[in-house]
Amino acid sequence: MNMKFIHTGDLHLDSPFLGLTEMPDQLWKQVHQSTFAAFQRIVDAAIEQVVDFVLIVGDIYDRDHHSAAAEDFFAEQCQRLADHHIPVYLSYGNHDYQPVTNHSLLPSNVNVFDNQVETKFLTLQNGQRVAISGFSYDQRWLDQDYVAQYPQRKKDIDWQIGMLHGAVRTGNDQQDHYAPFTTSELLALHYDYWALGHIHKHQVLHEQPAVVYCGNPQGRHKNEDGQHGYYLVESQDDRLIPEFRPVAPIEWHQEIVSINNDETSQQLVDDLVHQIDNPATEDAFAMVEIKLPADQLSAGLKRQVLAGSILERLQNACEDQQLRWWPYQLNLQSASTQLPKITDLDEKYWSESAQQVFTSDQVMALAGKLANYPFIADHLEDQQLVAELQKSATQLLGQGGADDDED
Ligand SMILES: [Mn+2]
């Protein structure tokens, strides 16, 4: 019988989804519940797949929104796993750091890792022995080398797994705050699988033995776009094979559309409904940011886009037709420019693209409805303002990078 387990983490239960514009109550409820629903789907899958155990690698809660509702929900879901005799191995991360004590309020199937690296053992139904090594954060930043604390692979066991909530070492002391490691350091310990947490985009850092970031099961904003889910890991001969499974009930998407000679606002809305269709995975609802090429729109339509009336009509159409996606933003885009995603930014790219991005046209488009007032429009066209905006944005983004806090 093969060993089978689930690798998840970064649940960020009860994320507040701040900054979203108005939407129908029912949809807002669905968005607000999505971090809970995503984890519930993972627990459903664990039970359905009859997995041997579940790994949760840190950040169960969002630091600033650690609610009683989230705690109760998490305990209930762990209890569901307990009812099916599925053990949970859990470590806390930089968002839910805490001193680990023996007085956990969680059900007894939940094994919480200590604040120093320790190894827990379990024996599977087929008699195989598994060792799992990991630790929990007791403070927000951990600058030390935690990998040095992990033991070499044990000799008398069948599988050894490492759990690590952390970030790849950059070599810059100002940034290496999350138990920094290198992939080769991990490989040198000869484990069969490394279950990583902290980075919210799911990715495989090394194929075999697998070193894997599970990502968060539910993206929290537009920079955490596309599919989010968990890894189902199964043994095959002497290897552990991870397979990504999407579960996020809400998916963030960005759609760049083309305009087909639309003359009236109704034509434009119909056109958008047709072109966008539903970009999300089956069982997911898409939150869509739409980018319209400014140079393909008539002056009249452009004005209506900036005034917000096209978005309003489009939202009404989506609601009337009960479509499985919701346009939360509609932005104009000049042909030659596209804002880089913050997560992909590097400094050189930023300074190059900033030259193109910070133009009066773009600033006008971002200002939206405000640009309808002539006195504001005049101010926005001022080149000095554009330069100031570029400077503040660079500072803001730079700060965001150093302080991270997004993961
Ligand atoms: Mn996280």
Side-chain angles (χ1 to χ4, degrees), residues 45-233:
I47 293 167
E48 200 179 306
Q49 295 279 336
V50 201
V51 298
D52 291 291
F53 53 91
V54 173
L55 306 179
I56 307 178
V57 196
D59 288 1
I60 288 102
Y61 308 105
D62 223 71
R63 185 176 62 247
D64 303 323
H65 307 278
H66 189 144
S67 62
E71 270 180 29
D72 292 350
F73 172 84
F74 185 65
E76 276 165 31
Q77 296 304 313
C78 289
Q79 185 58 50
R80 287 182 64 210
L81 292 169
D83 294 344
H84 289 82
H85 312 289
I86 299 173
V88 175
Y89 291 86
L90 174 161
S91 62
Y92 291 111
N94 58 302
H95 270 270
D96 49 5
Y97 59 86
Q98 52 193 284
V100 172
T101 64
N102 292 323
H103 312 296
S104 168
L105 295 172
L106 294 165
S108 60
N109 65 321
V110 182
N111 303 277
V112 181
F113 281 93
D114 195 21
N115 299 120
Q116 300 298 322
V117 175
E118 61 168 334
T119 301
K120 295 176 185 291
F121 297 91
L122 85 154
T123 304
L124 305 177
Q125 297 222 334
N126 64 9
Q128 287 186 334
R129 295 247 301 151
V130 184
I132 305 172
S133 303
F135 70 93
S136 289
Y137 281 52
D138 59 356
Q139 54 189 309
R140 183 177 158 211
W141 283 356
L142 295 179
D143 298 344
Q144 311 91 294
D145 180 3
Y146 272 75
V147 180
Q149 285 188 31
Y150 282 76
Q152 280 286 330
R153 190 186 205 288
K154 308 272 180 201
K155 290 203 172 64
D156 54 344
I157 50 105
D158 296 285
W159 304 105
Q160 175 119 21
I161 296 166
M163 287 172 65
L164 174 59
H165 190 92
V168 171
R169 188 184 296 282
T170 65
N172 177 348
D173 289 349
Q174 302 301 311
Q175 286 177 30
D176 288 335
H177 299 309
Y178 304 100
F181 66 91
T182 64
T183 304
S184 51
E185 283 167 2
L186 302 185
L187 294 175
L189 293 166
H190 303 290
Y191 289 13
D192 300 293
Y193 188 89
W194 277 95
L196 305 179
H198 184 60
I199 300 298
H200 287 179
K201 190 177 172 56
H202 67 90
Q203 55 199 290
V204 174
L205 297 189
H206 191 264
E207 289 284 346
Q208 278 302 326
V211 180
V212 179
Y213 273 117
C214 55
N216 52 348
Q218 173 59 59
R220 298 169 307 156
H221 45 68
K222 66 179 183 180
N223 290 329
E224 298 180 350
D225 59 353
Q227 289 188 325
H228 283 255
Y230 67 94
Y231 280 91
L232 181 67
V233 187

Side-chain angles (χ1 to χ4, degrees), residues 203-275:
Q203 55 199 290
V204 174
L205 297 189
H206 191 264
E207 289 284 346
Q208 278 302 326
V211 180
V212 179
Y213 273 117
C214 55
N216 52 348
Q218 173 59 59
R220 298 169 307 156
H221 45 68
K222 66 179 183 180
N223 290 329
E224 298 180 350
D225 59 353
Q227 289 188 325
H228 283 255
Y230 67 94
Y231 280 91
L232 181 67
V233 187
E234 203 169 347
S235 65
Q236 227 172 67
D237 304 322
D238 60 348
R239 302 190 306 170
L240 295 178
I241 314 289
E243 190 193 315
F244 177 74
R245 300 272 175 108
V247 288
I250 301 288
E251 272 180 23
W252 300 86
H253 286 267
Q254 193 185 77
E255 295 285 315
I256 300 169
V257 294
S258 55
I259 311 292
N260 303 312
N261 300 318
D262 300 311
E263 282 164 12
T264 67
S265 55
Q266 194 54 49
Q267 281 170 345
L268 176 58
V269 167
D270 291 344
D271 193 8
L272 292 174
V273 167
H274 272 104
Q275 280 192 56

Side-chain angles (χ1 to χ4, degrees), residues 16-23 28 31 220-222 252 287 328-329:
F17 294 94
L18 299 173
L20 277 178
T21 44
E22 265 180 61
M23 61 181 77
W28 167 245
V31 170
R220 298 169 307 156
H221 45 68
K222 66 179 183 180
W252 300 86
M287 295 292 286
Y328 69 97
Q329 254 179 39

